[in-house]
Amino acid sequence: TGLNLPAFDVNRAKTLLDQVGWKDQGGGARVAQGVPNVPDGTKFEVDWHGFSGDQTTYGEQIRAQVAAVGITLNVKTEDNATFSRNVFNQREFDTAVVSYCNGDDPDIGFRRQVDSRQISTTAFTNGAGYSNPQVDQLLDQATREPDPAKRTPIYKSLQEILVRDLPYLWLTESAGLRAFNASCTGFNHENTGLFAEAASCKK
């Protein structure tokens, strides 16, 4: 069965914000009223860090959605070095969008996102700072298991935990597209290695 991520529900979001002290004081903007460690009257503002054109576009989309419940999202477009410093090195950010470019095996790309031992200052590691001993244990178990049929339920358990905890919210899954001349053959369509290593073209 599929896993259900939280639905976009403006009314429920408003109710939850009211319950924790982020009140609509008129005009739709949320301000703190009785929020622990936040001075009353503080405007609810969040920053969004991205380092390329598409990522800024995602930020603009999210900004429109959170504005509907009174949250201001400040979109910041940064070069790669500034983004890496703010997000991974100094961790001076509220939210950020990252493309992890996962490989065919979850141990190659996926693991670094959620393994607590990957919380570091290195770019494209566990940027959320997510730490869950059960997740670490399941990752280790999946790494040691060579049988794909036995690995599948391990990764299913991991997915269930991550949908519950939501250290990341997955926005898109890009499709890999490749084009080549019809006179050429031998390309690695399965993407299990180099795409054109064994390819050749008729003259």
Side-chain angles (χ1 to χ4, degrees):
T1 61
L3 298 173
N4 295 321
L5 290 168
F8 182 68
D9 187 333
V10 171
N11 291 328
R12 176 155 171 73
K14 288 180 178 179
T15 299
L16 292 171
L17 289 165
D18 284 334
Q19 288 173 356
V20 296
W22 287 103
K23 305 292 186 180
D24 181 350
Q25 297 295 304
R30 297 273 165 180
V31 295
Q33 185 179 5
V35 177
N37 304 315
V38 179
D40 283 355
T42 300
K43 189 177 178 182
F44 197 148
E45 291 188 293
V46 178
D47 63 31
W48 168 283
H49 294 254
F51 65 89
S52 70
D54 285 348
Q55 294 184 353
T56 301
T57 302
Y58 298 147
E60 299 294 343
Q61 295 295 318
I62 300 296
R63 175 161 53 192
Q65 291 180 344
V66 298
V69 297
I71 299 171
T72 298
L73 187 75
N74 299 312
V75 178
K76 299 174 180 287
T77 303
E78 299 163 329
D79 59 50
N80 288 353
T82 304
F83 178 88
S84 294
R85 183 187 70 237
N86 288 337
V87 174
F88 294 102
N89 189 277
Q90 297 178 0
R91 297 191 180 271
E92 293 180 354
F93 71 102
D94 297 320
T95 61
V97 59
V98 180
S99 173
Y100 277 93
C101 302
N102 294 324
D104 292 331
D105 190 308
D107 213 42
I108 297 170
F110 164 73
R111 181 181 188 126
R112 63 192 157 125
Q113 298 176 53
V114 296
D115 188 334
S116 68
R117 292 155 291 193
Q118 289 290 317
I119 300 172
S120 75
T121 58
T122 303
F124 302 101
T125 51
N126 184 343
Y130 177 69
S131 179
N132 183 326
Q134 186 182 7
V135 167
D136 292 345
Q137 180 183 4
L138 287 168
L139 288 167
D140 290 343
Q141 185 181 347
T143 298
R144 291 190 302 267
E145 178 54 66
D147 184 347
K150 293 179 180 177
R151 290 180 90 201
T152 298
I154 299 170
Y155 283 113
K156 183 177 185 298
S157 296
L158 280 163
Q159 286 180 319
E160 290 169 352
I161 294 168
L162 295 169
V163 165
R164 180 197 69 208
D165 291 354
L166 275 185
Y168 301 88
L169 181 62
W170 290 270
L171 298 176
T172 63
E173 182 68 34
S174 56
L177 302 175
R178 295 183 171 96
F180 53 89
N181 191 299
S183 66
C184 302
T185 58
F187 291 96
N188 180 2
H189 297 283
E190 291 77 23
N191 198 26
T192 54
L194 296 177
F195 175 64
E197 184 177 30
S200 61
C201 297
K202 297 175 184 176
K203 293 185 177 179

